[in-house]
Amino acid sequence: MQDIPRATVGRLARYLQGLEELARSTVSSEDIAAAVGVNAAQVRRDLSYLGHQGVRGVGYDSESLRSAILREMGLIDTVGVAIVGAGHLGQALAGYRGFEDRGFLVAGLYDVDPDKVGTAIHDIPIRHIDQLLGDGRNGLFQIAIIATPAEAAHEVLARLADAGIRSILNFAPAVLRPPVSVEVRNVDLSTELQILSFYRSRK
Amino acid sequence: MQDIPRATVGRLARYLQGLEELARSTVSSEDIAAAVGVNAAQVRRDLSYLGHQGVRGVGYDSESLRSAILREMGLIDTVGVAIVGAGHLGQALAGYRGFEDRGFLVAGLYDVDPDKVGTAIHDIPIRHIDQLLGDGRNGLFQIAIIATPAEAAHEVLARLADAGIRSILNFAPAVLRPPVSVEVRNVDLSTELQILSFYRSRK
DNA sequence: CTCTGTGAAACACTTCACAGCG
DNA sequence: CGCTGTGAAGTGTTTCACAGAG
């Protein structure tokens, strides 16, 4: 199997939502494109990575396309996620509907604040960060999100790596240097605002 | 002046932070690259869009490089931002240090909840969403962030467009169809998690 | 005749590698 | 000599445009 471009992977789940919204038994690439707001050729190219799913002259069968996407993305079984840092961002992420829709289960929030530890947000328990290592090793989660202040991020990364977690999404504004076996993706909330602002001023 | 690639704009502010961390009067592209975690050739290419700022054999003068970046990005005067939706995400964004560091002033949070309206978060007042139109027209903000549930996003977009706001950052998981005069950038919090998860399972 | 699947071109961005300035 | 600035090559992604399946 050839490998699927990252950009495509990022869109597949959206096609799934688009299919749901359209709620038709057959859909064309145009339909999907309109529903999720991308180019139709893009949709066809993306879906072609799943093998031949469409019928020429007709379109795609919603139900089998749905299964094909789910299968390809490994969305069949749920992936456990730990959110480290139970501040506003951590809580926002814990309540984000998008995650469960896409096969993720937030297994726990981790924090150092004794007032928070022991409580729960959106039914997700807040545990002390010292439990991170044990919980990770016990397979409670496979992926972690760092939503702490920048100062704490390095320490958290080290603990996660220790716990054998190899996929980390970092929202803290810090430059992390992960060991080679760990993949860290950084999300900078201000970058997009920056870009928007920049081009606004020069049009 | 040729136009600067979006990817470059997204990095310029990080170089600024890197310069601050380094705290040296002269820095090389290698230094900056190491500080912010990118390739040195990338740094040189990015900085070359600002015109000749460096001295061959020596490096860049921190202070004048700093000014050049600030000038280029229009970070001289503060840009007002409205955050619509005072849920956890809105509150997290309101408290996000990164924004003020990069020349943005969060002018207000807007919500429909009467329990929230009239209070403040991080010294940012929460106003009723009906004030959005007037405040926007009065120039209180130039950019808006949508941090509402998906259902409310369309309505909010319409009001913002009405208020003359032409740059919008959307965190709601909804496909928005802005009028041509408005630029909307979508941030999907689960896309990155999706990508991470996908490649984790196939390594 | 419609709509997919895909070569090929276009585009955007990154990285290499090195000429040449100070 | 050390480092910038940049042609040129490389990589990843999008879009066009159309052959051909149904």
Side-chain angles (χ1 to χ4, degrees), chain A residues 50-68:
Chain A
L50 308 180
H52 294 208
Q53 297 296 333
V55 180
R56 288 167 193 244
V58 179
Y60 299 87
D61 175 70
S62 290
E63 209 34 64
S64 56
L65 181 55
R66 195 183 123 80
S67 319

Side-chain angles (χ1 to χ4, degrees), chain A residues 1-4 49 72, chain B residues 202:
Chain A
M1 188 194 308
Q2 61 206 303
D3 49 320
I4 303 185
Y49 291 112
E72 187 60 35
Chain B
R202 49 180 56 207

Side-chain angles (χ1 to χ4, degrees), chain A residues 1-7 9-14 17 21 33-37 72-75 79 81 87-93 96 98-99 102 104 121-122 142-145 166-169 171-173 175 177 181 183-203, chain B residues 1-7 9-14 17 21 33-37 72-75 79 81 87-93 96 98-99 102 104 121-122 142-145 166-169 171-173 175 177 181 183-203:
Chain A
M1 188 194 308
Q2 61 206 303
D3 49 320
I4 303 185
R6 284 177 177 250
V9 174
R11 277 185 301 261
L12 284 177
R14 279 201 274 153
Q17 292 180 311
E21 270 172 44
V36 308
E72 187 60 35
M73 305 191 73
L75 287 181
V79 174
V81 178
H88 277 299
L89 182 58
Q91 293 187 33
L93 293 169
Y96 199 63
F99 292 155
R102 298 197 186 181
F104 298 107
I121 297 280
H122 300 290
Q142 291 79 50
I143 291 184
I145 296 177
R166 298 166 51 150
S167 302
I168 296 171
L169 189 59
F171 282 91
V175 179
R177 298 220 192 307
S181 62
E183 183 179 4
V184 173
R185 287 184 76 90
N186 291 289
V187 179
D188 182 337
L189 295 176
S190 37
T191 296
E192 291 291 314
L193 190 58
Q194 194 76 65
I195 295 172
L196 203 47
S197 169
F198 182 80
Y199 290 102
R200 185 186 67 88
S201 58
R202 48 181 55 205
K203 251 223 297 280
Chain B
M1 186 194 310
Q2 61 204 303
D3 52 319
I4 303 186
R6 285 176 177 251
V9 174
R11 277 185 301 262
L12 284 178
R14 279 200 273 152
Q17 293 179 311
E21 270 173 45
V36 308
E72 186 62 34
M73 302 190 78
L75 288 181
V79 175
V81 178
H88 278 297
L89 183 57
Q91 293 187 32
L93 292 170
Y96 200 62
F99 292 155
R102 299 197 185 180
F104 298 107
I121 295 282
H122 301 289
Q142 292 79 48
I143 292 184
I145 296 177
R166 298 166 51 151
S167 302
I168 297 171
L169 189 59
F171 282 91
V175 180
R177 296 219 194 306
S181 63
E183 183 180 3
V184 173
R185 288 184 73 90
N186 291 288
V187 179
D188 182 337
L189 294 175
S190 37
T191 296
E192 291 291 314
L193 191 58
Q194 194 76 63
I195 295 172
L196 203 48
S197 168
F198 183 78
Y199 290 101
R200 186 186 67 89
S201 57
R202 49 180 56 207
K203 252 224 293 282

Side-chain angles (χ1 to χ4, degrees), chain B residues 102-125:
Chain B
R102 299 197 185 180
F104 298 107
L105 175 71
V106 180
L109 276 155
Y110 294 83
D111 206 296
V112 285
D113 183 346
D115 288 348
K116 287 178 181 166
V117 171
T119 64
I121 295 282
H122 301 289
D123 288 328
I124 299 162

